[in-house]
Amino acid sequence: MPKVSGVVVVTGSGGLVGAEAVRHYLGQGARVIGIDNNMRATFFGEAASTEWQTKALCELSDQYDHRTADIRDSEAIDAIFQEYSSDIALVVHTAAQPSHDWAAKDPIMDFTVNANGTSVLLEATRRFAPAATFIFTSTNKVYGDSPNRLPLVELETRWEIADDHAYASGIPETMSIDQTKHSLFGASKVAADILAQEYGRYFGLNVGVFRGGCLTGPGHSGTRLHGFLSYLMRCAVTGDPYTIFGYEGKQVRDNIHSRDLISAFDAFRQNPKAGSVYNMGGGRFSNCSMKEAITRCEAITGKSMDITYDPIARDGDHVWWISDLSRFQSDFPEWKLT
């Protein structure tokens, strides 16, 4: 695999995907600039702090340069990008307010972080490092609750779609993102998603948009409002109560390991297609319902979980989401989930 030649900038470098990206590119011998101001603790409390991850990265290599900056601060971001300018080969933008429940508490903060912050980074890239590849981590929430209109079938442990349905292999990028309830988080990510595409299509920057499903891995600072598998497993181990919201606990998510996600980013980095959009998750390779996940967690710990069921589903939540990965796999046939 060709190594990156130049500087790599990673936003949200203390988070699950950001830290995975930092470790990956440090492993390639690259100079990596991490941007993270631990906003996750602001959003979700100290239990969700990413400081432990940032500390570990700073101790890992002298090739890692951490910057405590807010992505909305154009002056600070411009200074970083101007410092490294044309040496920047890759920008991996993972920083975000990631919870649609939290967004409703402070819509202005949510929008400025997700939309304005992305705007600041795209413009800094255009001005100071226009030859760089820009990876944007979007979300399947840009489709709103449109997936809930699919003709789903209720099975014993999950909702599912018929084998002969057009979406049997997963939901493709052609599903409309219009005329649907997105949640405020979904709306702010739609704005950033479309803006990122436009910097690719209008300005010709090498921008790739990855609409993630559930992302997981050992670097996740999971919390009640964000980090499904991480938080579920934490509750299974500690005995803390866990609440299922709606759909009889049969709602389905595909899950992708952060390492596989970075592998996809790197495949795009080697052969970028400006303005491209990809649904990215575990697909049919890796997915589960809430009930199925709980059963697995209980089997791992050997003890029953403290589960409460709330029949009221989270507003705009998906009943069933499995990503169709065929567009990405067609463009990058060497990439595989592991």
Side-chain angles (χ1 to χ4, degrees):
M1 180 181 293
K3 294 183 178 181
V4 67
S5 177
V7 172
V8 178
V9 175
V10 179
T11 73
S13 53
L16 168 70
V17 179
E20 191 79 59
V22 171
R23 292 177 189 275
H24 177 85
Y25 289 108
L26 286 176
Q28 287 194 1
R31 176 77 167 164
V32 181
I33 314 304
I35 300 173
D36 196 311
N37 61 345
N38 198 24
M39 282 291 283
R40 193 171 177 86
T42 301
F43 300 141
F44 307 124
E46 279 305 310
S49 171
T50 59
E51 282 298 306
W52 66 275
Q53 184 83 272
T54 296
K55 183 174 183 290
L57 293 175
C58 289
E59 294 171 353
L60 185 62
S61 170
D62 58 9
Q63 285 290 95
Y64 180 65
D65 181 4
H66 186 78
R67 305 296 180 93
T68 304
D70 192 313
I71 60 171
R72 297 170 294 176
D73 184 346
S74 58
E75 200 169 297
I77 296 300
D78 282 356
I80 294 169
F81 275 71
Q82 189 170 22
E83 180 180 349
Y84 292 97
S85 59
S86 60
D87 288 340
I88 298 173
L90 175 66
V91 179
V92 182
H93 173 32
T94 76
Q97 189 300 107
S99 167
H100 78 231
D101 296 294
W102 192 94
K105 299 178 183 179
D106 193 338
I108 301 297
M109 172 80 84
D110 172 77
F111 194 87
T112 56
V113 169
N114 290 347
N116 294 27
T118 301
S119 175
V120 167
L121 288 158
L122 285 163
E123 184 60 12
T125 302
R126 184 176 79 90
R127 290 176 61 202
F128 300 111
T133 297
F134 190 105
I135 302 288
F136 174 57
T137 49
S138 187
T139 170
N140 60 17
K141 293 298 188 293
V142 299
Y143 298 102
D145 60 3
S146 289
N148 294 355
R149 301 173 198 152
L150 294 172
L152 300 176
V153 179
E154 186 175 6
L155 304 180
E156 184 179 355
T157 61
R158 61 159 56 199
W159 292 94
E160 200 38 279
I161 201 163
D163 291 341
D164 60 353
H165 193 276
Y167 291 174
S169 296
I171 295 172
E173 297 83 357
T174 51
M175 175 177 270
S176 175
I177 65 172
D178 196 17
Q179 299 297 304
T180 179
K181 182 185 282 187
H182 293 87
S183 80
L184 290 167
F185 160 71
S188 66
K189 292 294 278 191
V190 163
D193 184 304
I194 296 297
L195 189 65
Q197 289 184 56
E198 206 62 22
Y199 268 74
R201 295 171 185 272
Y202 190 88
F203 291 123
L205 295 190
N206 290 321
V207 175
V209 175
F210 289 77
R211 294 173 175 169
C214 283
L215 318 176
T216 195
H220 218 172
S221 299
T223 184
R224 187 176 68 85
L225 294 181
H226 185 255
F228 157 49
L229 282 183
S230 172
Y231 182 66
L232 182 68
M233 194 68 224
R234 178 185 293 183
C235 290
V237 170
T238 62
D240 290 346
Y242 188 91
T243 302
I244 299 170
F245 292 97
Y247 307 132
E248 305 298 327
K250 297 181 180 182
Q251 55 268 54
V252 170
R253 298 290 181 272
D254 67 350
N255 297 269
I256 185 170
H257 194 286
S258 51
R259 193 177 306 148
D260 280 342
L261 183 60
I262 298 306
S263 175
F265 291 174
D266 205 47
F268 182 89
R269 186 265 306 173
Q270 294 171 58
N271 185 22
K273 303 176 189 305
S276 293
V277 177
Y278 302 105
N279 287 351
M280 184 54 57
R284 283 294 180 186
F285 176 83
S286 175
N287 63 83
C288 63
S289 71
M290 283 297 313
K291 292 186 77 165
E292 291 163 353
I294 288 166
T295 298
R296 293 290 292 273
C297 287
E298 289 178 334
I300 291 168
T301 62
K303 57 186 181 181
S304 297
M305 291 188 67
D306 180 2
I307 301 293
T308 301
Y309 179 69
D310 186 334
I312 301 175
R314 294 156 69 208
D315 210 13
D317 200 19
H318 293 154
V319 183
W320 182 88
W321 179 275
I322 292 177
S323 309
D324 179 356
L325 306 178
S326 59
R327 176 181 287 183
F328 188 81
Q329 289 170 326
S330 174
D331 284 352
F332 305 95
E334 298 301 313
W335 176 82
K336 290 180 174 57
L337 289 160
T338 63

